[in-house]
Amino acid sequence: MELNLTTERLLLRPVVLSDVDLAIEMFTDPAVMKFVEEPATPDQVVADMPTWIKRGGGGCIGIWCITDRITGEKFGDTYLLPFSAEEDDNDWNLVVPDAMPEAEIEIGYFLKPSAWGKGYATEACRRLLRFTFAETTLDQVIAVVDENHAASWNVLGKCGLTHRGTRRAFGDDSPYFSITREQWVATFKR
């Protein structure tokens, strides 16, 4: 299965340890973390990188680095990870190399500020959904957002996810969205 995913402008490739530079740039930035949690320290990011490069489900579950297809510039990341209702992070214990997690799978993304407003999140999210429903056994993907993060609401809508109300997410009540394989096929597969 090919895990390097391309779009017109982007290459999505599995995150590797050397992407720590991008992770530090994003996850220590208060603007990037505004709707998620307190910014991390560089040492926390370095300590977490071995977890963040884990892949599950034969490679289908994990984090992809979003890069410029021509220059290789790193813009951010997008992911498919086991969702957690009560813990403050995705359930990394379910990310096992050859097993698809028996849990809801969340799609998400982070971009560095210089990449905001250029459509990269929508382009990456759409491509990851195409991979999900064309290449994996997953029948549904969910997403949760902060109620005040209008840009993420817009991205999820453009990618075909439907707002389903509020639910428990990462220990708090949050707006959530979902899309099924059937909905994706009806909307995007041509």
Side-chain angles (χ1 to χ4, degrees), residues 82-121:
F83 174 75
S84 176
E86 294 301 332
E87 300 302 318
D88 63 358
D89 194 5
N90 297 90
D91 192 346
W92 288 96
N93 292 323
L94 298 177
V95 181
V96 179
D98 293 322
M100 189 61 80
E102 291 192 27
E104 290 180 294
I105 300 299
E106 178 191 21
I107 191 168
Y109 42 83
F110 287 93
L111 294 175
K112 62 185 185 179
S114 63
W116 292 355
K118 297 179 176 157
Y120 297 143

Side-chain angles (χ1 to χ4, degrees), residues 25-190:
E25 182 178 355
M26 290 192 306
F27 301 132
T28 62
D29 186 331
V32 173
M33 302 307 289
K34 177 180 178 180
F35 297 107
V36 185
E37 61 186 34
E38 290 297 314
T41 66
D43 288 343
Q44 289 170 322
V45 173
V46 169
D48 285 338
M49 279 304 290
T51 298
W52 295 341
I53 65 168
K54 287 175 59 176
R55 300 209 70 80
C60 300
I61 302 300
I63 302 174
W64 283 259
C65 185
I66 302 169
T67 66
D68 183 287
R69 207 171 147 181
I70 305 301
T71 67
E73 180 183 355
K74 300 173 188 179
F75 296 136
D77 65 39
T78 186
Y79 58 84
L80 293 169
L81 291 171
F83 174 75
S84 176
E86 294 301 332
E87 300 302 318
D88 63 358
D89 194 5
N90 297 90
D91 192 346
W92 288 96
N93 292 323
L94 298 177
V95 181
V96 179
D98 293 322
M100 189 61 80
E102 291 192 27
E104 290 180 294
I105 300 299
E106 178 191 21
I107 191 168
Y109 42 83
F110 287 93
L111 294 175
K112 62 185 185 179
S114 63
W116 292 355
K118 297 179 176 157
Y120 297 143
T122 300
E123 195 171 328
C125 187
R126 280 186 176 170
R127 181 62 182 96
L128 196 53
L129 286 170
R130 184 172 56 156
F131 168 78
T132 300
F133 295 126
E135 303 288 332
T136 79
T137 59
L138 294 172
D139 287 320
Q140 176 176 284
V141 172
I142 67 164
V144 294
V145 297
D146 184 280
E147 63 185 347
N148 298 311
H149 198 333
S152 279
W153 283 64
N154 290 336
V155 167
L156 295 174
K158 289 177 188 176
C159 292
L161 284 91
T162 303
H163 180 233
R164 305 286 183 192
T166 302
R167 69 171 295 171
R168 200 79 178 145
F170 303 106
D172 201 0
D173 293 328
S174 299
Y176 83 102
F177 295 73
S178 70
I179 187 169
T180 64
R181 177 185 305 276
E182 183 178 315
Q183 292 164 333
W184 179 82
V185 167
T187 305
F188 294 104
K189 191 166 184 183
R190 295 176 184 28

